[in-house]
């Protein structure tokens, strides 16, 4: 008798789901037809989804991967994860990721008043996707020093442009991100303008950066700060990610104390204590670096693609 009762209930749940999803009847109309309360119909629809009787799929090449977002947030204690599908071409994946990160910045509530930005190719693309007036009276602070060699003005496109579009001001660091000696780096940190900029970055409402792989294709190599041989040595020492010019291992700790002492950037402890930190990563070449940033507690949110998310979780 109990089995028959369960079967009858399942059949009724099935009918309710068919009327709601296939016939597009409202919950009130279903309740009237079956002489049920609207609350009971709502519970039946919820039960159909939870039991797997009903699967809801959003079929679009830009639809976000909810399962991966939930797993990333749970695994690494994130406040938010945004995972979009990997596209057929790497440049298309970067474009979609940059657009998603720009949307995330625009939708943040409460809106940040001070943002710390680490320059780079990915953040330059994020800036390109921001719309004029995305924020009002925003202050954008450069989190780490600039480039030694430039061909495309990465600093200007990712720091100044974000501020311009947010109808605010940009505060840049007028010094290289890696210095020739720890003494010189210490002297620059003591400079009033540099100290003020780094302090402002350390107390920003939001930080945003893109973790990079420490290899020959690194922006630190392309910008003239380090050589390909330097990167080979750093990888051999356990380097897995470039986070705001700090080369860190799989736990988020610097792998070369001497290099870190020569790096003009906000402290990693300040990154970990920031109220909101968004890491933006596109493409499998950034999977290992992004995993290191997540494992090292160097972000509270991540915006990435599905292949990177799958690689990190596996």
């Amino acid at each position: 008798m109990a089995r028959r009762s369960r079967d009858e209930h399942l059949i009724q749940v099935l009918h309710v789901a068919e009327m709601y999803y296939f016939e597009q009847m409202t919950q009130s109309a279903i309740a009237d037809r079956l002489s049920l309360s609207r609350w009971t119909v709502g519970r039946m629809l919820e039960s159909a989804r939870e039991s797997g009787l009903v699967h809801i799929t959003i079929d679009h090449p830009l639809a976000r991967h909810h399962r991966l977002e939930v797993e990333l947030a749970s695994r690494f204690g994130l406040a938010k994860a945004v995972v979009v599908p990997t596209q057929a071409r790497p440049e298309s994946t970067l474009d979609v990721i940059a657009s998603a990160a720009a949307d995330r910045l625009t939708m943040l509530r409460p809106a940040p008043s001070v943002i710390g930005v680490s320059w780079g190719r990915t953040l330059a693309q994020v800036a390109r996707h921001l719309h004029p007036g995305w924020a009002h009276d925003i202050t954008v602070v450069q989190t780490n020093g600039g480039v030694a060699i430039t061909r495309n003005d990465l600093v200007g496109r990712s720091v100044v442009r974000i501020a311009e579009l947010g109808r605010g001001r940009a505060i840049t660091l007028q010094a290289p991100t890696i210095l020739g000696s720890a003494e010189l780096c210490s002297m620059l940190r003591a400079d009033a303008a540099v100290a003020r900029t780094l302090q402002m970055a350390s107390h920003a409402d939001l930080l945003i950066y893109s973790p990079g792989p420490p290899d020959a294709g690194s922006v630190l190599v392309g910008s003239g700060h380090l050589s390909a041989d330097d990167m080979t040595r750093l990888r051999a020492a356990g380097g897995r990610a470039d986070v705001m010019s700090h080369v860190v291992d799989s736990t988020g700790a610097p792998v070369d104390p001497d290099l870190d002492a020569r790096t003009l950037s906000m402290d990693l402890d300040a990154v970990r204590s920031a109220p909101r930190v968004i890491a933006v990563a596109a493409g499998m070449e950034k999977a290992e670096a992004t995993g290191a940033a997540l494992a090292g507690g160097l972000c509270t949110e991540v915006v990435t693609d599905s292949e990177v998310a799958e690689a990190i979780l596996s």
Side-chain angles (χ1 to χ4, degrees):
M1 187 72 180
R3 178 181 176 84
R4 182 179 178 183
S5 177
R6 287 197 300 270
D7 289 345
E8 289 175 349
H9 177 73
L10 179 61
I11 290 171
Q12 190 170 48
V13 170
L14 177 62
H15 288 163
V16 167
E18 288 174 337
M19 285 186 281
Y20 186 77
Y21 291 105
F22 289 158
E23 299 178 34
Q24 297 185 332
M25 293 176 62
T26 65
Q27 293 186 29
S28 294
I30 296 170
D32 291 342
R33 178 180 293 188
L34 300 179
S35 299
L36 299 170
S37 69
R38 184 174 176 181
W39 180 87
T40 300
V41 170
R43 288 292 302 149
M44 286 182 172
L45 290 172
E46 185 177 343
S47 173
R49 291 191 295 269
E50 290 177 349
S51 67
L53 184 66
V54 171
H55 295 276
I56 299 175
T57 302
I58 302 174
D59 188 11
H60 189 277
L62 298 182
R64 285 166 50 180
H65 287 258
H66 179 67
R67 175 185 65 82
L68 293 175
E69 293 178 347
V70 171
E71 289 185 21
L72 281 174
S74 176
R75 173 84 63 87
F76 298 102
L78 302 174
K80 181 78 173 179
V82 175
V83 180
V84 299
T86 303
Q87 305 298 297
R89 296 181 302 151
E91 55 269 31
S92 298
T93 300
L94 175 57
D95 191 65
V96 171
I97 292 296
S99 177
D103 288 344
R104 180 67 185 144
L105 283 177
T106 303
M107 292 187 296
L108 287 176
R109 296 294 182 273
S113 58
V114 180
I115 297 179
V117 174
S118 177
W119 51 271
R121 292 182 287 258
T122 300
L123 268 296
Q125 289 297 314
V126 173
R128 191 172 66 83
H129 281 277
L130 287 170
H131 300 291
W134 75 271
H136 298 276
D137 196 28
I138 195 78
T139 297
V140 182
V141 187
Q142 189 175 326
T143 60
N144 46 316
V147 299
I149 301 171
T150 181
R151 296 184 182 90
N152 51 17
D153 191 20
L154 289 171
V155 175
R157 288 200 297 158
S158 56
V159 177
V160 177
R161 186 63 177 155
I162 291 173
E164 290 176 344
L165 293 171
R167 298 172 181 169
R169 60 174 183 152
I171 301 176
T172 59
L173 274 173
Q174 300 300 314
T177 195
I178 296 179
L179 285 303
S181 69
E183 291 76 17
L184 178 57
C185 187
S186 180
M187 288 174 59
L188 279 173
R189 284 180 174 274
D191 176 80
V194 172
R196 186 165 54 248
T197 301
L198 290 176
Q199 184 179 34
M200 184 172 290
S202 296
H203 292 87
D205 306 314
L206 164 72
L207 302 175
I208 183 168
Y209 72 96
S210 181
D215 57 25
S218 168
V219 68
L220 292 175
V221 175
S223 62
H225 286 301
L226 297 173
S227 68
D229 288 342
D230 289 329
M231 285 302 183
T232 300
R233 176 181 60 80
L234 290 166
R235 280 200 66 82
R240 295 296 178 264
D242 158 22
V243 175
M244 299 182 187
S245 300
H246 298 279
V247 179
V248 302
D249 62 17
S250 58
T251 68
V255 296
D256 185 333
D258 175 68
L259 174 62
D260 215 56
R262 295 189 289 115
T263 300
L264 188 66
S265 176
M266 64 180 294
D267 294 334
L268 291 174
D269 286 343
V271 177
R272 290 188 179 91
S273 63
R276 178 176 278 155
V277 186
I278 301 177
V280 185
M284 278 299 291
E285 68 276 7
K286 291 206 169 188
E288 184 179 50
T290 306
L294 289 168
L298 293 168
C299 60
T300 62
E301 302 187 17
V302 66
V303 180
T304 191
D305 63 88
S306 54
E307 284 189 355
V308 171
E310 292 277 16
I312 292 170
L313 291 168
S314 64

